Amino acid sequence: RIKKKNLTQKYRCMEKYIIAFFLLILSNQYAQDKVNDIMTLPEYLGYVKSYHPIVKQANLVINNSEAKLLKARGAFDPKIEVDFDKKRFREKEYYNQLNGAFKIPTWYGVEFKANFEQNDGVFLNQENKVPLDGLYSAGVSVSLARGLLNNKRMAALKQAKLFLNQAKEEQQIVVNTILYNASLSYFNWLKTYNEKRVFNSFLTNAIVRFEGTKRGFQEGSKPAIDTIEAGITLNSRRLNLEKGRIKLVKSSLELSNYLWLNENTPIELKENIIPDLNTFDTIDRAFNIALFNNEDFDIENHPKIKALGFKIKSLDVNRRLKLNNLLPKIDLQYNFISANGNQINSFNNNNYKAGINFSMPLFVRKERGNLALAKIKLQDQKLENEAIKVVIKNKINAIQKELSSYILQNDLTFKIVRDYDVLLKAEERKFFLGESSLFLVNFREEKYIDSKLKAISLENAFFKAKANLFKEAVISIN
């Protein structure tokens, strides 16, 4: 009769334990579903890309290159020049000199020029004397050797266009790097949230087990030592939960660094906003890597390689300019002049002003040195470009293999977690039947918790590898 009474008490205790356990779980789950709001990874990255100041700052790189391009084009703007010089001393007009010009530079080393000159005065230089109504001239200046097919303003404009294209590729790299860092914060937030859920759920188990053990002690079916052990386990679970809560708070604040409404309004993450627990199913869509195939990946279309390609072209423009500087400098000017600018036929070969300017260093050592340096820079950049191609290919191959390994590890970890769950439940049944001890139940539970935490860490590593692929391949997202 005594044994039967004890068994009845055990079964009643077990029933109360199970009912209380499920009520706690259902109430907690209901409360969470009622107040929590989910922020998915695609939504989060969309906020970052649209409003984060550093993303806006990356766009300034393009604006800066566009301004430089506009500046380089200014070298080909038509120009108006007016030069007026006058001297009067002791009531005498020494001279009045007016010289106005309109110049039109062209792509090659040719410049068209129209000029009006009007001078008078007592002590005017004889070569500056012109008719009373002034002297008109129209002509052209040409650089016959150095500067004809290549010159500084041509090279500056070509380089400015290449810098703009290079800036566009580098801007995409900068934006992807920001999104990569932001995604790591999201994954850390998700990881700490999942860990807190684990600690919270097992705290519930520890509370129910402690209450059941204490009740069993009061009814005489459990020894006093079991209540102490259950209490130690309960406080350990509370300690783990508090540590997990602090880690979640820190990860939430870290995540808030990337959330902005505009350039001047940062957002602090609210407590009721939680990460998406189904991120595993949406991560490929978030990073736009669902259709990424390593075999079809063309390294020449990689933004880093394209940016280096534009840089190589810019260095080649500089090399050709230095090569052109080896030529002698021969500048020719020819201007038709006339006292009557209203009549075009008044400009003829009988009245003209011409000149030629020739110069060339005998050893051309400065120019040859500049050319040699330009060739070295170009060759150095080409070698760096080839080396970076290999590095990018190897990184992407390594990430792909890492992802394949994580999928296998995830399957094995899932089986381990499932088996530990089975062991824990079996041990709990034996404990309720009096065939096991609280120590063994806690041991099984510790192993189960450890396996779940390892699974969470493994999932986090998998997500980071996906983000790393997004970063290294510089995949664009909408």
Side-chain angles (χ1 to χ4, degrees):
R1 289 181 180 177
I2 295 174
K3 289 183 178 179
K4 186 176 181 180
K5 184 178 180 181
N6 290 335
L7 286 174
T8 302
Q9 289 176 348
K10 288 181 180 179
Y11 282 122
R12 286 178 180 175
C13 181
M14 181 177 69
E15 288 175 358
K16 292 178 181 178
Y17 172 34
I18 294 173
I19 291 171
F21 175 72
F22 280 107
L23 285 176
L24 281 171
I25 290 179
L26 290 173
S27 62
N28 288 338
Q29 187 66 38
Y30 175 76
Q32 288 182 357
D33 292 341
K34 187 175 180 180
V35 300
N36 289 337
D37 191 13
I38 297 174
M39 181 170 65
T40 65
L41 179 61
E43 291 174 342
Y44 168 68
L45 293 180
Y47 282 123
V48 176
K49 189 174 182 180
S50 299
Y51 303 113
H52 197 278
I54 299 182
V55 176
K56 302 292 184 182
Q57 186 180 11
N59 295 330
L60 295 179
V61 176
I62 295 180
N63 296 339
N64 182 59
S65 298
E66 289 176 343
K68 288 182 177 180
L69 177 59
L70 182 64
K71 178 182 177 181
R73 284 176 172 160
F76 295 91
D77 289 345
K79 184 185 298 184
I80 296 176
E81 295 179 352
V82 177
D83 184 15
F84 177 72
D85 197 10
K86 179 177 181 179
K87 182 177 180 180
R88 180 181 176 86
F89 184 67
R90 292 181 180 178
E91 299 181 355
K92 290 184 179 179
E93 293 284 346
Y94 274 58
Y95 55 80
N96 287 299
Q97 293 180 306
L98 175 64
N99 194 339
F102 179 68
K103 300 178 181 179
I104 304 176
T106 63
W107 177 249
Y108 296 103
V110 179
E111 184 178 77
F112 295 98
K113 180 179 178 181
N115 190 77
F116 173 74
E117 187 177 1
Q118 189 173 38
N119 307 316
D120 59 46
V122 178
F123 300 106
L124 186 68
N125 196 319
Q126 291 296 318
E127 68 178 13
N128 292 327
K129 285 189 176 181
V130 295
L132 292 177
D133 293 334
L135 186 66
Y136 296 88
S137 66
V140 63
S141 61
V142 182
S143 296
L144 294 180
R146 181 192 302 182
L148 178 62
L149 301 178
N150 201 344
N151 52 57
K152 286 185 178 180
R153 64 187 181 191
M154 292 170 61
L157 182 56
K158 289 178 181 178
Q159 287 180 324
K161 291 179 179 179
L162 292 170
F163 285 149
L164 177 59
N165 292 327
Q166 180 182 341
K168 290 178 180 178
E169 302 299 333
E170 291 177 346
Q171 184 254 4
Q172 185 178 346
I173 296 174
V174 172
V175 171
N176 274 44
T177 302
I178 296 168
L179 295 178
Y180 166 76
N181 293 329
S183 67
L184 294 186
S185 295
Y186 184 91
F187 297 145
N188 187 43
W189 179 47
L190 175 60
K191 177 176 177 287
T192 55
Y193 179 78
N194 281 328
E195 289 175 346
K196 183 176 177 292
R197 289 177 71 239
V198 170
F199 295 137
N200 192 57
S201 65
F202 284 98
L203 174 62
T204 304
N205 290 356
I207 293 173
V208 173
R209 192 175 296 126
F210 175 75
E211 294 297 331
T213 304
K214 185 172 70 173
R215 191 179 300 110
F217 167 71
Q218 293 171 348
E219 295 173 354
S221 61
K222 297 290 183 184
I225 195 69
D226 280 358
T227 60
I228 296 176
E229 186 171 351
I232 292 173
T233 303
L234 175 59
N235 288 328
S236 297
R237 299 291 183 266
R238 285 172 175 167
L239 179 61
N240 289 335
L241 179 61
E242 179 61 19
K243 289 180 179 179
R245 186 188 69 81
I246 291 300
K247 288 174 66 177
L248 179 60
V249 170
K250 291 174 65 178
S251 63
S252 300
L253 292 174
E254 180 185 349
L255 186 81
S256 298
N257 293 334
Y258 295 94
L259 290 176
W260 295 69
L261 276 179
N262 51 52
E263 294 87 344
N264 302 315
T265 310
I267 304 174
E268 186 173 342
L269 198 66
K270 295 182 179 179
E271 292 184 0
N272 67 314
I273 299 178
I274 63 173
D276 184 13
L277 299 180
N278 297 318
T279 300
F280 187 90
D281 299 326
T282 62
I283 188 168
D284 285 353
R285 177 170 60 87
F287 288 134
N288 199 25
I289 56 177
L291 301 178
F292 181 82
N293 189 337
N294 195 22
E295 295 180 357
D296 297 334
F297 177 69
D298 186 4
I299 191 66
E300 297 298 333
N301 290 327
H302 191 279
K304 180 66 175 178
I305 301 303
K306 291 173 72 175
L308 289 176
F310 290 123
K311 187 175 182 180
I312 289 173
K313 290 180 180 179
S314 177
L315 290 174
D316 188 57
V317 170
N318 182 62
R319 180 195 63 82
R320 285 187 273 115
L321 177 63
K322 303 303 182 185
L323 179 63
N324 184 77
N325 288 341
L326 295 176
L327 298 174
K329 183 178 180 181
I330 306 175
D331 295 333
L332 176 65
Q333 293 189 28
Y334 189 89
N335 296 278
F336 298 100
I337 56 178
S338 172
N340 190 355
N342 296 327
Q343 297 180 3
I344 297 178
N345 57 7
S346 65
F347 293 96
N348 53 64
N349 295 329
N350 295 325
N351 303 310
Y352 65 88
K353 183 171 67 173
I356 187 170
N357 184 1
F358 173 84
S359 66
M360 181 178 180
L362 294 180
F363 302 109
V364 205
R365 285 183 288 198
K366 177 182 177 181
E367 289 74 12
R368 286 190 288 122
N370 288 334
L371 177 60
L373 291 173
K375 287 181 177 179
I376 291 172
K377 288 182 180 179
L378 179 60
Q379 184 64 22
D380 179 69
Q381 193 61 59
K382 286 181 177 179
L383 293 173
E384 181 183 352
N385 189 38
E386 294 302 318
I388 290 178
K389 283 182 183 179
V390 176
V391 170
I392 292 174
K393 286 181 179 179
N394 289 338
K395 280 186 177 181
I396 292 177
N397 287 333
I399 294 170
Q400 293 281 54
K401 295 182 184 299
E402 185 181 19
L403 287 171
S404 300
S405 176
Y406 279 138
I407 293 173
L408 177 60
Q409 292 179 49
N410 186 64
D411 291 339
L412 295 173
T413 304
F414 173 78
K415 293 177 181 178
I416 293 173
V417 173
R418 180 194 61 193
D419 292 343
Y420 271 122
D421 185 31
V422 172
L423 287 175
L424 176 60
K425 290 178 180 177
E427 201 66 46
E428 286 178 334
R429 284 195 298 270
K430 291 171 65 178
F431 175 71
F432 293 141
L433 295 174
E435 299 176 1
S436 181
S437 65
L438 188 60
F439 172 79
L440 289 176
V441 173
N442 288 336
F443 177 77
R444 296 293 188 193
E445 191 175 66
E446 286 289 346
K447 290 292 185 181
Y448 183 42
I449 294 173
D450 186 57
S451 65
K452 288 181 75 69
L453 294 178
K454 286 181 178 178
I456 292 171
S457 296
L458 181 63
E459 183 186 59
N460 181 259
F462 176 77
F463 290 157
K464 287 182 177 180
K466 286 280 188 178
N468 203 19
L469 177 61
F470 163 77
K471 176 191 172 187
E472 296 299 334
V474 195
I475 301 171
S476 62
I477 61 175
N478 298 326

